[in-house]
Amino acid sequence: MEQIATWLTCREKPLQTVIAIIGENGVGKTTLASCIYQTRSVRTQFDCNIWIHLPQKFRVVDILIDIILQTITSVDMTEAKKNLRGKDEEALMQELAEKLSKKKYLIVLDDVRRLEELKFFLAVLPAQKENEESAILITAQIKSPNPPAANSSGQLEYMTGRIHKKEVTSAAWLQLCHHYVELKKLEKGQGREMFCRRLFGESDFPSGFRKMHVHSKALESLLDQSLPLAVTLLAGLLRTKKEDEWTDVVDLLLQYSKHNNNGDDKIEKEEATKPNLEDEGNRESKQQEQEKEEEIMEQLQIGEGQHQGEQHQREAGQQGEQQQVEQQAETQNQIKPVGGLFRNQPLIKKILILSFDDLPSYLKQCLLYFAAFKAEEDIDAEKIIRLWVAEGLVQATDGHTMEEHAEDCLKMLISRCLINLVQVGYNNKIITVSIHESVLDFAMSEARDSNFLQVHHSTTDLPRAAIRRLSLQNAFDTHTRLNLSTPKLRSLLCEFPEAPSDDHRKNITNCYSHSIQQVRMVITGRINNDLNICRCTFLRVIDLKGTVQEFTLPEEIGWLVHLRYLGLADSRLRGLPSSVKKLRSLQTLDITNTDVDSVPQEFWNLKALRHVLARHLKKGPRQVHSLNNLQTLHGVPWGRWVHEKKRLTNLRSLQVWNLSTSKRCKALLTYLASLECLTSLDLEVKEGAQIQLDRLLIMPVLRNLGSLKIHGPVQATEQSYSYLLPNLSKLELCGSGLNQNHIDMIAGLPNLLELILGKDSYMHQDMSIPPNGFRELRKLRFNGLPELVKWHVQSSADGVLSSLSHLEHLCIFSCAKLELIPDYLLKLENLVQLTFHDLPKLLMLPSLGKFSSKNPTLVLGE
């Protein structure tokens, strides 16, 4: 790590230094690159720091857009992304060159797979005199062109070298790099230390451990010459077991790892490629059993879509039988780690097999569901939880909702190191996760073999078998056709690439035609009988991710009486048909970032509804007596539902707009007084109305509220309060017209971690942070405060740093009159990054060398 950091920060380097981290899968290339990328001493050397993960299949325009967005310091990323989506590859390349011109940049290209990819990015990224001392760091699964040499201690931790033009090897593409580092397997002692840190939080086994367990030496022997990923997975597996059970696991791995440790790769490959007739026979037998079970399910549920007057009790009973039979079919196929097939697997695969076999049946299905996503891709935790619930993979237990149980399942998979935690909120709520490529390959294989889920990258030559769940990861074709004959399909998860808007202008007929076909073929099968929902009556999940040209769903969508999840986010969907009111099993409707502005009023009578996510609906529900299970309600206007005696007491997240009068604001506050479970609240107040911010912040019933966003004016306050919301961690205000009294009140929130003061949220020249104010704040952002000239932080009487003492990130955007930055910031020891953009009157920037914190990063916008 130190060597790479030296290469990156060296002043005597060419215009564009290219450094490669190479090694086999699971050796820790991405982890090392991430550590270097996040190191302050490295980041401060560059004007732009950009991280790009390259999927196995991708479109160049998507990667270019990602790079450009990471060069933009403006907070209005939505508008910037919208503008970029309308450009072709050539225009994006030109804009990228403009964005990076006269800047020193560091770009990490994670998981480069092909020589053509590397050559392309080296050609696209500017390497002029103005970009002197820029750097590109890549990770790739290739071997070193030279045999490794032992270091002074005789260990082969990694190999460093310099590529020369004369070398012609299987890894000749490394000639494009100036330096490379080849990561090797862990040496003696390194595996044990990494394992102990993962499991015990210290560098060695606890005292008495080796005396109590005779297998400690065997464990150490197993970890030597292993990959870091294998150590991490083993730690996750043993974390869930008692210490007296470790012997069985370690001995099993050692017993079947002798051949691998002796390096007999050739024999392993030959054995692995031999056809296993017994395994094929078992697979055929299990397939026949599944076919028989699914025929029973058909008999149980035939005609449900045609007889809509059927009694609810009978319907619920049939769905329960379907779920029971289906879960039995999905959990009966388990891997047993015995025999030659297990012996011939690499250590990582063996540990994955044991980890999977150790999972309870519901966790196995939750893990296999990740096969529908991409490796190293940020996955929205709330979305995967809603999908699990819709699939029936989790159930409500011990007074907890299904969503809460699903979140616990996600935490268990993270604890077992099978899923990676990417981002967690300040309130410890999981935001995004990802899955390692090796774990994903295993999950895809298991899902395919058990007929749990199949993944395809194109629509040609799809199998005609009884596919239960289909994930179509289409990275290129904007004219997709689904030629399916799958009457037993349960779930359809699709990702459509976005067609550039220029194509729409040039050939509006073709684009409109293929977009309509794209959606109608998925839903109705009217064209070429591609997917006929008359024979897909078991569909539970439809998720069509991606932006296409304008379209509407057909009326036939109402036939899918078992549909529980309908995801149409980020598309140009114009409207919903009236037949959505017939989707009596629907739990989740996601139409965020679409043009849909209305739903049938009867839609709100669906008793199964749990999550409704929209942008701006013209009308909300008139009555809410049927919405006992509703937890998420986004994009609804203020309306009659606020005056209903029936309260949505299970709501966790609420977004309301069209609060046009102060009277409506007061009525809403009265309504909120009964929502004890609410954790997130987003209000849009129109000009002319005012909402009482102080009343919101002192309501005891909102003690669970963690996030509050108000867009619009707030009422002035002159009082101080002893009680403020104890769990509010994020507050965002825009157009609020705050005064100093509001700042003093907000500063007293005991656990506020992030504060965003948006456009026109503060309209005075001076702002003062009171003593002991914002003691827990981690992130502070000012954006669009046109009247602010100076702000300062008051010191406490004893001179102790009490205000903003934990501040890590400070962002100031578009404050046209701001002249001074408080000197108080120089004393903050935890400050990590300062971002300034569009501050024309700022007299002087603070010198980084004067800060008490170590190596803070200063980012300056244009």
Side-chain angles (χ1 to χ4, degrees):
M1 179 172 173
E2 291 79 8
Q3 180 62 73
I4 298 177
T6 301
W7 287 335
L8 290 173
T9 58
C10 177
R11 295 293 179 180
E12 297 178 0
K13 60 184 181 181
L15 297 179
Q16 189 186 66
T17 301
V18 182
I19 303 170
I21 302 176
I22 62 176
E24 59 183 300
N25 193 19
V27 78
K29 302 182 297 297
T30 300
T31 302
L32 176 59
S34 178
C35 291
I36 295 171
Y37 178 77
Q38 297 176 11
T39 302
R40 294 191 197 177
S41 58
V42 173
R43 294 181 65 88
T44 54
Q45 299 295 318
F46 301 93
D47 302 321
C48 292
N49 295 278
I50 300 170
W51 178 283
I52 298 294
H53 174 75
L54 300 179
Q56 185 175 3
K57 294 185 178 182
F58 62 88
R59 294 193 309 160
V60 172
V61 291
D62 296 329
I63 301 300
L64 292 177
I65 289 174
D66 194 358
I67 297 176
I68 294 173
L69 288 176
Q70 293 189 50
T71 66
I72 299 175
T73 56
S74 172
V75 294
D76 191 7
M77 300 299 292
T78 303
E79 187 65 26
K81 187 174 182 179
K82 182 179 179 180
N83 295 334
L84 292 174
R85 289 296 181 189
K87 298 184 178 181
D88 58 15
E89 184 176 321
E90 184 177 351
L92 289 172
M93 292 169 58
Q94 182 178 354
E95 180 159 351
L96 176 61
E98 295 174 355
K99 290 290 184 181
L100 295 179
S101 64
K102 299 182 181 180
K103 289 185 179 180
K104 186 168 66 169
Y105 57 81
L106 168 63
I107 297 181
V108 180
L109 299 175
D110 182 37
D111 203 7
V112 181
R113 300 172 185 267
R114 290 174 288 275
L115 175 63
E116 293 76 11
E117 295 176 2
L118 181 58
K119 287 183 176 180
F120 171 79
F121 286 110
L122 292 181
V124 168
L125 298 173
Q128 307 299 325
K129 182 66 177 178
E130 295 81 359
N131 305 109
E132 192 172 7
E133 299 180 1
S134 293
I136 301 174
L137 179 63
I138 70 170
T139 66
Q141 294 183 36
I142 57 175
K143 294 182 179 180
S144 167
N146 295 318
N151 57 23
S152 57
S153 62
Q155 297 180 357
L156 296 175
E157 295 183 18
Y158 58 81
M159 175 181 173
T160 63
R162 192 171 184 85
I163 305 297
H164 298 283
K165 299 285 185 179
K166 298 179 181 179
E167 296 177 336
V168 180
T169 66
S170 59
W173 66 283
L174 279 177
Q175 295 177 6
L176 299 172
C177 306
H178 299 89
H179 307 280
Y180 73 92
V181 169
E182 183 180 16
L183 300 183
K184 296 293 185 179
K185 292 183 178 180
L186 298 172
E187 293 298 325
K188 186 175 182 179
Q190 293 177 336
R192 182 185 69 249
E193 180 179 353
M194 182 178 178
F195 175 84
C196 292
R197 290 192 182 279
R198 279 281 184 177
L199 205 56
F200 308 118
E202 49 189 76
S203 60
D204 208 341
F205 293 102
S207 58
F209 182 87
R210 292 174 178 169
K211 296 180 181 179
M212 295 172 61
H213 297 277
V214 297
H215 66 271
S216 61
K217 291 185 178 180
L219 182 62
E220 294 176 8
S221 176
L222 178 66
L223 296 180
D224 290 339
Q225 294 296 322
S226 61
L227 292 169
L229 179 60
V231 177
T232 300
L233 292 172
L234 182 61
L237 172 61
L238 297 183
R239 179 183 286 123
T240 62
K241 294 185 174 295
K242 298 179 181 179
E243 291 186 7
D244 56 4
E245 297 176 324
W246 287 20
T247 304
D248 296 336
V249 176
V250 176
D251 288 349
L252 182 63
L253 292 172
L254 281 174
Q255 177 184 356
Y256 290 110
S257 297
K258 294 179 180 180
H259 296 287
N260 286 0
N261 291 340
N262 291 335
D264 198 358
D265 296 333
K266 183 177 180 181
I267 295 178
E268 286 185 291
K269 292 181 179 179
E270 290 177 355
E271 292 292 332
T273 55
K274 288 181 179 179
N276 192 299
L277 300 179
E278 181 180 358
D279 183 62
E280 291 294 331
N282 291 338
R283 186 178 301 176
E284 291 179 2
S285 176
K286 292 173 183 176
Q287 181 72 21
Q288 292 175 359
E289 292 177 5
Q290 288 180 347
E291 295 283 346
K292 184 176 181 180
E293 289 167 352
E294 289 170 347
E295 289 177 4
I296 296 174
M297 290 159 55
E298 281 189 34
Q299 295 174 3
L300 289 173
Q301 298 185 348
I302 192 72
E304 292 248 358
Q306 300 173 359
H307 304 283
Q308 299 189 4
E310 197 174 355
Q311 295 182 355
H312 180 71
Q313 183 177 2
R314 179 183 176 188
E315 174 189 314
Q318 289 178 346
Q319 292 183 5
E321 291 179 19
Q322 172 194 350
Q323 179 177 331
Q324 183 178 3
V325 174
E326 188 170 333
Q327 288 183 349
Q328 291 175 355
E330 291 174 350
T331 57
Q332 64 174 315
N333 189 6
Q334 297 181 3
I335 294 180
K336 300 300 180 183
V338 293
L341 288 178
F342 181 75
R343 177 184 293 110
N344 293 327
Q345 301 296 335
L347 179 60
I348 289 179
K349 183 66 175 294
K350 291 187 178 73
I351 298 174
L352 283 172
I353 292 174
L354 294 178
S355 298
F356 184 75
D357 189 62
D358 187 60
L359 294 174
S361 58
Y362 63 92
L363 274 185
K364 287 181 180 178
Q365 297 177 64
C366 291
L367 178 62
L368 294 184
Y369 209 85
F370 277 95
F373 298 90
K374 298 178 181 178
E376 308 296 345
E377 178 186 57
D378 288 355
I379 303 170
D380 184 4
E382 290 188 347
K383 178 177 179 177
I384 191 71
I385 286 173
R386 289 192 290 264
L387 286 169
W388 284 349
V389 171
E391 293 280 5
L393 305 185
V394 293
Q395 302 297 327
T397 56
D398 300 330
H400 296 284
T401 64
M402 290 186 286
E403 287 79 5
E404 290 170 341
H405 185 207
E407 186 175 6
D408 290 339
C409 292
L410 186 58
K411 291 178 179 178
M412 283 188 277
L413 292 177
I414 294 173
S415 175
R416 291 171 179 259
C417 302
L418 295 171
I419 299 299
N420 302 323
L421 178 62
V422 177
Q423 184 181 4
V424 61
Y426 289 125
N427 55 356
N428 293 324
K429 186 177 181 64
I430 301 174
I431 298 177
T432 55
V433 295
S434 68
I435 183 169
H436 192 277
E437 185 174 4
S438 297
V439 183
L440 178 64
D441 290 342
F442 174 82
M444 291 176 64
S445 176
E446 287 299 305
R448 180 179 61 252
D449 292 345
S450 62
N451 199 29
F452 179 86
L453 183 146
Q454 293 192 29
V455 179
H456 293 273
H457 296 282
S458 68
T459 57
T460 58
D461 300 327
L462 285 177
R464 298 276 178 174
I467 302 178
R468 302 166 71 83
R469 298 175 181 88
L470 173 63
S471 174
L472 181 60
Q473 298 177 0
N474 177 27
F476 306 105
D477 188 9
T478 59
H479 300 267
T480 302
R481 288 177 176 270
L482 292 176
N483 298 306
L484 299 178
S485 178
T486 54
K488 298 169 185 177
L489 190 66
R490 302 294 183 274
S491 305
L492 179 63
L493 301 99
C494 300
E495 181 175 351
F496 295 119
E498 180 180 3
S501 59
D502 286 346
D503 291 346
H504 176 61
R505 299 188 188 101
K506 294 176 182 177
N507 197 343
I508 186 170
T509 303
N510 290 340
C511 285
Y512 182 82
S513 175
H514 85 73
S515 299
I516 292 296
Q517 288 177 1
Q518 205 171 44
V519 177
R520 285 184 177 269
M521 286 190 298
V522 170
I523 303 300
T524 69
R526 288 179 174 178
I527 303 176
N528 297 332
N529 198 27
D530 290 318
L531 180 57
N532 194 332
I533 64 170
C534 294
R535 294 180 292 124
C536 294
T537 56
F538 300 121
L539 265 174
R540 292 181 177 180
V541 171
I542 294 179
D543 185 32
L544 307 179
K545 178 185 177 182
T547 305
V548 294
Q549 302 302 321
E550 294 182 356
F551 68 96
T552 56
L553 291 179
E555 286 289 334
E556 288 84 353
I557 191 72
W559 298 358
L560 304 178
V561 293
H562 300 296
L563 191 65
R564 300 179 182 177
Y565 185 102
L566 181 57
L568 300 164
D570 301 315
S571 66
R572 295 193 63 183
L573 179 66
R574 294 182 300 179
L576 293 174
S578 61
S579 61
V580 295
K581 64 186 178 184
K582 301 177 182 179
L583 301 176
R584 54 177 178 255
S585 300
L586 191 66
Q587 297 177 354
T588 298
L589 174 65
D590 187 358
I591 50 175
T592 52
N593 296 326
T594 68
D595 295 329
V596 178
D597 58 8
S598 64
V599 296
Q601 194 57 226
E602 295 83 359
F603 170 81
W604 301 107
N605 295 329
L606 299 177
K607 297 181 179 181
L609 278 179
R610 305 178 73 86
H611 308 280
V612 178
L613 301 100
R615 184 171 61 180
H616 265 195
L617 296 177
K618 291 181 179 179
K619 294 182 180 180
R622 294 173 185 169
Q623 297 178 342
V624 296
H625 62 275
S626 300
L627 302 177
N628 295 323
N629 297 313
L630 194 63
Q631 298 182 24
T632 306
L633 183 59
H634 290 180
V636 295
W638 182 95
R640 289 174 52 182
W641 59 275
V642 177
H643 299 290
E644 284 281 311
K645 292 182 179 180
K646 168 71 176 179
R647 301 296 201 229
L648 300 173
T649 53
N650 286 320
L651 269 184
R652 268 65 173 175
S653 182
L654 176 63
Q655 287 184 2
V656 182
W657 70 285
N658 196 31
L659 293 168
S660 57
T661 65
S662 297
K663 184 178 180 180
R664 289 186 173 185
C665 293
K666 291 180 180 180
L668 181 64
L669 291 177
T670 302
Y671 187 86
L672 294 176
S674 59
L675 305 185
E676 295 188 17
C677 298
L678 201 64
T679 60
S680 177
L681 179 61
D682 188 338
L683 304 176
E684 185 176 325
V685 183
K686 286 193 172 183
E687 194 70 31
Q690 288 185 330
I691 194 166
Q692 295 173 283
L693 177 63
D694 53 350
R695 183 180 171 186
L696 264 176
L697 296 182
I698 64 172
M699 293 178 67
V701 74
L702 296 181
R703 58 187 175 275
N704 293 314
L705 192 66
S707 175
L708 173 61
K709 180 179 180 181
I710 299 178
H711 189 289
V714 301
Q715 197 172 94
T717 180
E718 300 292 339
Q719 303 181 36
S720 60
Y721 301 93
S722 59
Y723 173 86
L724 293 169
L725 294 180
N727 294 305
L728 188 64
S729 59
K730 181 178 180 179
L731 177 61
E732 182 175 353
L733 301 168
C734 183
S736 303
L738 303 178
N739 56 32
Q740 184 60 47
N741 291 331
H742 288 118
I743 299 297
D744 294 340
M745 179 179 61
I746 294 171
L749 288 166
N751 290 298
L752 187 64
L753 302 175
E754 182 176 358
L755 174 62
I756 301 175
L757 297 181
K759 184 178 180 182
D760 298 335
S761 59
Y762 189 85
M763 298 300 292
H764 299 273
Q765 294 184 356
D766 297 336
M767 180 190 296
S768 177
I769 306 297
N772 300 317
F774 300 111
R775 302 194 64 164
E776 298 298 326
L777 199 68
R778 302 299 196 272
K779 185 173 183 179
L780 176 61
R781 177 186 295 175
F782 297 158
N783 177 39
L785 308 182
E787 301 300 325
L788 184 63
V789 177
K790 59 181 180 179
W791 66 288
H792 61 278
V793 183
Q794 299 179 21
S795 300
S796 58
D798 54 5
V800 178
L801 295 179
S802 56
S803 301
L804 301 173
S805 55
H806 291 92
L807 189 66
E808 298 174 356
H809 298 270
L810 173 64
C811 306
I812 304 179
F813 298 92
S814 303
C815 295
K817 297 182 180 180
L818 185 62
E819 297 178 354
L820 296 175
I821 301 295
D823 293 336
Y824 183 89
L825 299 178
L826 300 175
K827 305 175 184 179
L828 301 180
E829 298 181 352
N830 297 304
L831 203 57
V832 175
Q833 180 171 311
L834 300 94
T835 303
F836 301 139
H837 177 77
D838 192 15
L839 306 176
K841 293 294 185 66
L842 192 62
L843 299 178
M844 183 176 61
L845 288 173
S847 174
L848 293 179
K850 296 181 179 180
F851 282 87
S852 299
S853 60
K854 296 181 180 179
N855 300 320
T857 302
L858 179 62
V859 180
L860 300 177
E862 298 175 356

